[in-house]
Structures are given as C-alpha cells and as structure tokens.
Amino acid sequence: MRIDRVRLFEVNLPLVHSFETSSHRKTGLTHVLVEVTDAEGRVGWGEIASPADPFYGPETTTTAWTIAERYLVPAVIGPSWDAPEQLEDAWRRIRGHEFAKAGFSLAAWDLHARSAGVSLAGALGGTRTEVVAGVSLGIEPTLDQLLAQVARQVEAGYARVKLKIAPGWDVEAVRAVRSAYPDLDLHVDANGAYADTAETSAVMRALDAHGLTMIEQPYAPRDFVAHARLQAMLSTPICLDESVVDIADLQTMLALDAGRVLNIKVSRMGGLSVARRAHDVARDAGVPVWCGGMHEFGVGRAANVALSSLPNFTLPSDVSGSDKYYARDVVVPPVLAHEGVVPVPTAPGIGHEVDVEWVRQNASRTLDTMTAAV
Ligand code: OSB
Ligand code: MG
C-alpha cells in the first residue's frame, strides 16, 4: 500500500451539553480529521482528538496541526507498507505529539482494514460483537443538576457512570449519587487535580468507603510514586489515564503498583498499534483495561468501539453514543448505544461513512497534499 494524498480538516462541532472537568469547561470541540488516499483511490479516515488547550496533556489543536502539516503528512506520503505498524515506523523518530500521531495511525488502520475488506475490530483481533458503554459526567453547578444528569443517563440504559471530581467537588457529589443509586457501577476521575497532601489522603479515604469501581488519575501525570503510595492505602483500585502515554509508562505503573486498572486512550498513546500493545501487556499482568474517550467525533469514536472489542476490555468504555455529545456527527450512521451497549460494526474499516460535505461545512482550516503526478 502507498499513500498518495492526505487531506486535513479542522472541524468544529458544538456540544449539546457543556462539559466541565477539574481544569476547565467547554461548550464545543475542534478536532482534526485526517483522510488518506492510496494509489488505488481507497481512503482511510482518522481523527486528531486533541483538546484545544494544553490542560489534559501538552498538545493543543494548533500544535497537532503544525506537527501534522510539517512532519506527519510528509512522512506518510510515499513509503510502501503492508501493515499499519510499518507506516507508523515512518514517524517513530518524532518524540511526543501522541494525539497528532494517533490521527494518522487511525487513518492507516482504517485504510488497511477497508483494503482487506474486514472490519477494523476484526483487523485488530477483536472478539466482541458489542461493547458496554459508560458515560462520563462533568462537574455541574449544583448537586441537583448532577443528580438530574445521572438520572438521564441511567434511564438511557448506561450501566456505568463516571463523575469528574476536583477539590471541593468530590465526597459530597459521590455521597449524593451513591445514596440515590446504591448499586450503580460508579467511578470518579480527577484528571490529576489533587496535590499529594494529608487533606487529599483524607478525601481519598472518604471516597474509598463508597464502593467505587476505581479512582482515576488523582495526582499529576508524572507522579507514579504518589499513586503507588495511595494505592497501598486504599482498597479501591486506582486507574491511570494521563500518566500512561507509552508502554514504558505502563511498565512503570505495573512495577510500582501505581494503579490496578488502565484507561487506554488511542489518542493519548499515539494510535491503535500502541493501544493494542498496551492491552496485551496489561492482560499479561492481570490488569483490566477500558477505553477512555476524548469526546471524539464519529471517526475516533468508531475506532474506540473497535478497540474495545479486544478481550481484555472487561470494564465499560467511554464509548457512549455520539448523540450524548453532538446533534449531528461527522459519520453516517452516527455511533449509537442502545440500552448502554454499542454494536461493533462488521462493515469494512471503522464501519461508518464520513459525511464529507458536513465536515467541509464545519471546517475552519483544510490542507490538501498530493504527490506530484509521475
Ligand atoms: O479524562 O477521560 C478523561 C474528556 C476530555 C479530557 C479528558 C477526559 C475526558 C472524558 C471524556 O472523560 C469521556 C468521553 O469521551 O466520553
Ligand atoms: Mg481520565
């Protein structure tokens, strides 16, 4: 296979309900869609799901666009490859910029699967025909508004709810939701908002008493040691998200017992090949995984569904239907959950067609690069 043409679209979509985390609040998202076309005219789609601002990780939409335009597009146009991992070798010397790389990895995997006439899930070695989805709920202005959000999602059939927490919005919020839903699969995600202090230990011990499935990323990404100390103190499993951007980070987590659950994000780990390897390493270590989301549009969301069909994705993934976030998605049909379950498509590639006209209408920048005709 050889990629001859790459198009980038920076696309803006409004959220149907604004989303607040420990670091900020957002009302819409800007992601970059990547379309690759091979010498035979077959296409593959990927999504760079970087947040606009460097509050989740170091990347932004602008840095991702720059790295894509200057390094990734030139790297993927031209070389011959049989498997996506081989194409990914073309950018191995670029350090960091995992979100930007992930967009190209997805496009390569989609093209690869479509060319072989198999689903992306099948190409990855997935075995599930459907995946269980959880929802992630942001910080709300009041506990009543949070409870209303939980009620809505539980009624929609989602069996797992994750609450964003931050200092000042933690034990009370969990207590309120827990007393209304004693049996709900409930977990919390701090996005690294806590300092490693005695006050935090008290908060974590209080959370530990509420039967949470996990406490996700309480401390700063690089602080594996603080996570390990906390894990030794709690019976609730700690889940790492931001801390693990590559396999070496996962090895550190395992060696230190800094967490007992892994959130695998395709974007954070630089693409599907690394994400799949992380799944295998965690499986061999007896650590369950689930697939986290970055409020992906349909392209990235469909890839998350495909990845979640691998056998060690035993916990519900953040692959709730796109209707929870967007009035009109960039793919047809949209990714939809029914009673909290998303079917794994069997059609070739990601199993959804990109609505290029809608993409174009919502694009704030585009780039089209082709090899010179020979
Ligand atoms: O930590 O999981 C996170 C969204 C933006 C940044 C970080 C996170 C999230 C989510 C999104 O929780 C969940 C989803 O996409 O459904
Ligand atoms: Mg998280």
Side-chain angles (χ1 to χ4, degrees):
M1 205 128 36
R2 199 189 70 219
I3 293 169
D4 274 359
R5 180 183 187 186
V6 181
R7 290 198 293 174
L8 302 180
F9 302 87
E10 184 186 77
V11 179
N12 309 285
L13 291 184
L15 281 169
V16 294
H17 182 81
S18 68
F19 192 85
E20 183 173 334
T21 69
S22 55
S23 65
H24 65 300
R25 184 166 177 274
K26 57 192 176 189
T27 55
L29 280 96
T30 304
H31 288 171
V32 178
L33 295 182
V34 180
E35 181 204 48
V36 298
T37 305
D38 79 356
E40 274 96 73
R42 296 174 296 210
V43 302
W45 283 91
E47 176 172 339
I48 301 177
S50 174
D53 305 304
F55 307 145
Y56 169 81
E59 293 177 81
T60 70
T61 315
T62 307
T63 66
W65 183 276
T66 301
I67 294 296
E69 179 174 21
R70 182 145 173 207
Y71 298 100
L72 295 168
V73 170
V76 301
I77 291 183
S80 294
W81 51 281
D82 296 315
E85 289 91 335
Q86 253 175 297
L87 183 67
E88 292 174 5
D89 274 336
W91 63 73
R92 201 161 305 285
R93 69 202 180 102
I94 302 167
R95 293 246 161 91
H97 302 287
E98 285 80 13
F99 279 75
K101 290 172 182 172
F104 287 76
S105 167
L106 288 190
W109 272 97
D110 184 37
L111 172 60
H112 167 73
R114 282 179 199 261
S115 307
V118 300
S119 68
L120 178 58
L124 288 166
T127 51
R128 296 172 198 281
T129 56
E130 54 183 37
V131 302
V132 179
V135 287
S136 175
L137 299 181
I139 294 169
E140 292 288 335
T142 66
L143 288 177
D144 281 347
Q145 280 162 285
L146 176 67
L147 286 167
Q149 282 298 317
V150 176
R152 245 184 93 190
Q153 303 306 338
V154 169
E155 273 156 34
Y158 290 106
R160 182 275 267 163
V161 170
K162 139 169 151 179
L163 307 179
K164 291 289 180 182
I165 59 165
W169 179 268
D170 41 41
V171 183
E172 289 284 285
V174 167
R175 191 178 294 132
V177 174
R178 187 42 101 209
S179 38
Y181 301 91
D183 301 322
L184 183 65
D185 177 350
L186 184 66
H187 96 242
V188 294
D189 182 5
N191 289 109
Y194 290 85
D196 181 15
T197 62
E199 288 88 337
T200 298
S201 299
V203 168
M204 295 300 152
R205 275 187 217 279
L207 291 175
D208 203 26
H210 286 286
L212 300 172
T213 313
M214 66 190 96
I215 297 175
E216 185 176 343
Q217 198 71 46
Y219 296 130
R222 308 321 301 155
D223 207 346
F224 286 93
V225 173
H227 284 103
R229 227 183 288 120
L230 184 64
Q231 182 66 87
M233 199 178 91
L234 302 182
S235 53
T236 308
I238 289 177
C239 168
L240 294 186
D241 175 356
E242 286 90 330
S243 291
V244 179
V245 307
D246 59 19
I247 300 298
D249 287 335
L250 174 54
Q251 300 291 7
T252 302
M253 164 181 157
L254 297 173
L256 296 180
D257 191 23
R260 294 182 185 159
V261 173
L262 177 66
N263 170 343
I264 295 183
K265 279 186 187 164
V266 176
S267 296
R268 192 194 69 226
M269 303 204 73
L272 281 166
S273 308
V274 185
R276 184 171 63 171
R277 227 174 304 134
H279 161 276
D280 295 350
V281 171
R283 176 200 57 206
D284 295 347
V287 166
V289 305
W290 56 284
C291 177
M294 291 302 299
H295 292 151
E296 283 87 351
F297 300 165
V299 172
R301 194 168 292 272
N304 289 345
V305 170
L307 181 70
S308 301
S309 72
L310 292 170
N312 193 38
F313 280 84
T314 52
L315 295 163
S317 291
D318 274 343
V319 290
S320 47
S322 45
D323 53 334
K324 176 177 179 283
Y325 295 117
Y326 305 106
R328 180 171 166 188
D329 204 341
V330 299
V331 296
V332 271
V335 178
L336 289 179
H338 182 69
E339 290 298 318
V341 170
V342 183
V344 178
T346 51
I350 59 171
H352 298 259
E353 294 310 313
V354 173
D355 183 347
V356 181
E357 198 40 49
W358 184 241
V359 164
R360 228 194 272 280
Q361 278 176 36
N362 291 280
S364 40
R365 303 194 246 194
T366 60
L367 176 83
D368 189 352
T369 307
M370 265 182 276
T371 40
V374 270

